[in-house]
Amino acid sequence: MQIQTPDWVKHAVFYQIFPDRFARSKQPRKRLLREARWEDWDSMPTLQGYKGGDLWGIMEGLDYIQDLGINAIYFTPIFQSASNHRYHTHDYYQVDPMLGGNEAFKELLDAAHQRNIKVVLDGVFNHSSRGFFFFHDVLENGPHSPWVNWFKIEGWPLSAYNGEFPANYVGWAGNRALPEFNHDNPEVREYIMEIAEYWIKFGIDGWRLDVPFEIKTPGFWQEFRDRVKAINPEAYIVGEVWGDSREWLDGTQFDGVMNYLFAGPTIAFAAGDRVDLEQVQSRDYQPYPPLFAAEYATKIQEVLQLYPWEIQLTQLNLLASHDTARLMTIADGDIGSIELSTLLLLTFPGAPSIYYGDEVGLPGAIDPDSRRGFPLEANWNREIFNTHRQLIALRHTYPALRTGDYQVLHAQEQIYIFARTLGTEELIIAVNAGTSSATANADVVSLRTQPNKLLYGTAEVEWNGEGETQQLSLTVPARSGCILGAGD
């Protein structure tokens, strides 16, 4: 079959926003909770506290987001919930009133679309919460509830809050706060499909699916895709799958996944032995142990060979998320690690995703610490910010960085060099992860030109030879990278 994925995603740079933590609205537009006692914005996040960020605050920040070069936003959940992260859904049809409700979301969606910024929502369809109306009915009425078969009830009485007794129902990861849906029930299946359709009709541009691998019901995600794409063929469907995702990336289900298989090796190469093991040991995307260039090249080639090219171009590539520590903390504050990783991210096939605040050097250990409030401008790391702006602009300028072929030219010791080519456009990207300046000499047979103009970074470039085989000599300073394009 011919695989079709949304064209716009191939040209997107995503910004992941945790709505409670990006910005509180400056205008007094909240009808509710105007005088709420929020956690201090700059204090360390807690598991249950709210900082009061809302959708109006994000709307007020759209100038900043657009100026950064972002043209797509992925929101972690925004639906009504009793948790600051909102993965405990109460009502799938209502945007949380704490964020501004459906009215504020419609206003934000329209404002984003006017700027050609796409919006993707987080769909938590494996489980709901104890406050979900249908499950609450089961808690109140027991086996008499009409919603009993919507969940995986194992016995009575249910114990939703008292940990001294068995829950008697299945909760995600054993968590009784997150009752799992019974997806084999046709009514549950239809209910979730209608939610997906409702918000696509509302105007969102796609769904990011939370733990979709937990839903085992045959044909579920195939039907999900068919019904979403019937409304908007260009809607983006991206799954949260951390490992080998071929099972879901066959063209009949998702357009891509959160590409932790890219994140892990990239951090292991760029940050190397600077990685703080405490921040990565409980996560399975393997940003440690350190990798040399040859090992990194092998890992990246394996990733690029896993899926069809059409899928590769719509993968959601990332370095950090709300589920990981932030790169600033993983790399123990090393700015070079951040800049090298960001260079590799913004020059890789697929849609790069930047976790809010990473572009200004926001630190954060494993959650909840990685979910801090977006910092005041006075606290930004300008070097990291300028690196992001420059690399994002280059990605938008050169189509080869978005949809061009990816060819490794050299991978030895700490120097990694590759080419992105599209038609007559040929770019060379080099990264020196070592602590001293290094020179790489490579025979290049795949390029028609000799890119020698520095578009980013610093390096000494020399080409020798003509015809099929050309010799590239490239000297790159320590802990830095560069991009070469066509020059005089």
Side-chain angles (χ1 to χ4, degrees):
M1 62 171 289
Q2 184 179 3
I3 293 176
Q4 294 201 332
T5 54
D7 190 63
W8 65 265
V9 178
K10 301 161 192 171
H11 306 281
V13 177
F14 275 85
Y15 195 61
Q16 180 190 346
I17 296 179
F18 192 96
D20 186 57
R21 306 292 158 79
F22 184 72
R24 290 183 197 146
S25 54
K26 295 182 177 67
Q27 303 295 326
R29 301 176 66 173
K30 277 193 175 81
R31 290 188 295 274
L32 303 173
L33 299 171
R34 286 189 183 184
E35 306 299 325
R37 297 175 61 185
W38 307 116
E39 280 188 351
D40 181 73
W41 190 260
D42 295 318
S43 66
M44 290 301 99
T46 61
L47 286 172
Q48 293 177 295
Y50 295 92
K51 293 191 180 293
D54 54 40
L55 298 181
W56 289 304
I58 296 167
M59 210 176 320
E60 292 162 11
L62 284 177
D63 281 345
Y64 165 80
I65 291 169
Q66 185 177 30
D67 184 61
L68 183 60
I70 300 299
N71 56 7
I73 298 173
Y74 149 46
F75 287 111
T76 54
I78 64 172
F79 302 130
Q80 187 174 318
S81 174
S83 62
N84 56 38
H85 50 73
R86 297 185 172 84
Y87 282 94
H88 298 50
T89 312
H90 279 188
D91 188 338
Y92 290 91
Y93 288 98
Q94 295 299 322
V95 173
D96 200 307
M98 208 179 295
L99 296 177
N102 290 16
E103 180 184 346
F105 179 60
K106 179 60 175 170
E107 194 175 336
L108 172 58
L109 187 64
D110 289 345
H113 284 165
Q114 286 171 6
R115 299 167 182 261
N116 294 316
I117 296 173
K118 304 286 189 181
V119 174
V120 171
L121 294 187
D122 207 318
V124 189
F125 300 136
N126 175 66
H127 49 267
S128 59
S129 71
R130 291 174 294 208
F132 180 55
F133 172 80
F134 302 177
F135 188 76
H136 183 73
D137 193 277
V138 177
L139 292 181
E140 293 289 331
N141 297 305
H144 303 288
S145 171
W147 313 105
V148 165
N149 292 330
W150 279 49
F151 305 94
K152 300 172 183 178
I153 309 296
E154 297 175 328
W156 304 97
L158 298 191
S159 180
Y161 294 95
N162 190 343
E164 295 178 13
F165 299 97
N168 278 342
Y169 60 89
V170 176
W172 179 71
N175 187 343
R176 67 184 72 209
L178 301 172
E180 285 194 3
F181 283 116
N182 171 20
H183 299 90
D184 292 334
N185 182 336
E187 289 188 349
V188 171
R189 183 166 171 157
E190 179 60 27
Y191 176 74
I192 292 171
M193 299 300 163
E194 289 181 3
I195 294 165
E197 292 173 324
Y198 175 85
W199 290 104
I200 294 290
K201 291 175 182 175
F202 194 91
I204 71 168
D205 300 289
W207 286 105
R208 178 267 190 187
L209 302 170
D210 185 57
V211 295
F213 48 86
E214 299 281 3
I215 298 178
K216 314 290 187 186
T217 303
F220 185 92
W221 291 122
Q222 285 85 352
E223 180 181 353
F224 185 94
R225 180 186 182 87
D226 289 345
R227 292 179 64 164
V228 165
K229 299 283 188 177
I231 298 168
N232 179 5
E234 283 286 290
Y236 184 37
I237 302 174
V238 57
E240 183 213 3
V241 187
W242 290 51
D244 183 338
S245 304
R246 283 175 288 185
E247 179 181 344
W248 298 275
L249 297 180
D250 60 355
T252 71
Q253 298 171 79
F254 309 156
D255 298 309
V257 296
M258 297 181 78
N259 200 0
Y260 286 101
L261 288 181
F262 163 81
T266 298
I267 296 170
F269 172 58
D273 58 8
R274 297 163 187 79
V275 169
D276 180 350
L277 290 181
E278 285 190 14
Q279 305 305 328
V280 301
Q281 282 176 332
S282 63
R283 299 297 188 265
D284 60 4
Y285 63 120
Q286 300 176 334
Y288 191 89
L291 297 177
F292 286 104
E295 298 166 309
Y296 180 64
T298 298
K299 295 269 190 188
I300 288 301
Q301 288 304 308
E302 288 172 354
V303 170
L304 288 172
Q305 289 163 12
L306 269 182
Y307 316 117
W309 184 244
E310 188 71 13
I311 293 284
Q312 296 285 358
L313 294 177
T314 49
Q315 289 284 75
L316 190 66
N317 302 326
L318 70 163
L319 297 170
S321 75
H322 64 292
D323 286 324
T324 72
R326 289 182 179 271
L327 185 53
M328 175 65 91
T329 298
I330 289 176
D332 200 24
D334 181 62
I335 294 175
S337 297
I338 295 170
E339 293 183 342
L340 294 180
S341 299
T342 304
L343 172 58
L344 291 166
L345 172 71
L346 269 298
T347 55
F348 195 71
S353 176
I354 296 159
Y355 186 35
Y356 81 99
D358 278 0
E359 78 280 8
V360 296
L362 183 64
I366 288 174
D367 66 81
D369 190 34
S370 63
R371 303 167 181 183
R372 299 187 190 190
F374 188 84
L376 293 172
E377 188 170 351
N379 297 324
W380 292 3
N381 183 301
R382 281 285 169 185
E383 187 179 341
I384 294 174
F385 177 70
N386 289 335
T387 293
H388 278 81
R389 279 194 62 179
Q390 192 174 354
L391 288 171
I392 291 170
L394 285 170
R395 186 176 179 91
H396 288 317
T397 300
Y398 293 95
L401 291 178
R402 306 194 297 272
T403 59
D405 291 341
Y406 186 103
Q407 308 158 40
V408 177
L409 302 179
H410 178 91
Q412 292 181 19
E413 297 180 351
Q414 303 262 25
I415 292 205
Y416 180 70
I417 305 173
F418 60 98
R420 298 296 309 276
T421 59
L422 183 67
T424 59
E425 188 174 276
E426 298 181 329
L427 301 178
I428 290 177
I429 299 93
V431 168
N432 176 10
T435 55
S436 59
S437 177
T439 300
N441 296 296
D443 290 335
V444 179
V445 296
S446 54
L447 301 184
R448 288 177 289 185
T449 63
Q450 296 181 345
N452 61 6
K453 180 182 179 182
L454 279 167
L455 305 175
Y456 171 85
T458 58
E460 295 177 14
V461 188
E462 184 178 338
W463 286 93
N464 292 297
E466 295 185 4
E468 287 191 8
T469 302
Q470 306 165 65
Q471 287 80 41
L472 168 64
S473 177
L474 192 58
T475 301
V476 185
R479 305 289 296 152
S480 69
C482 66
I483 301 176
L484 301 176
D488 298 329

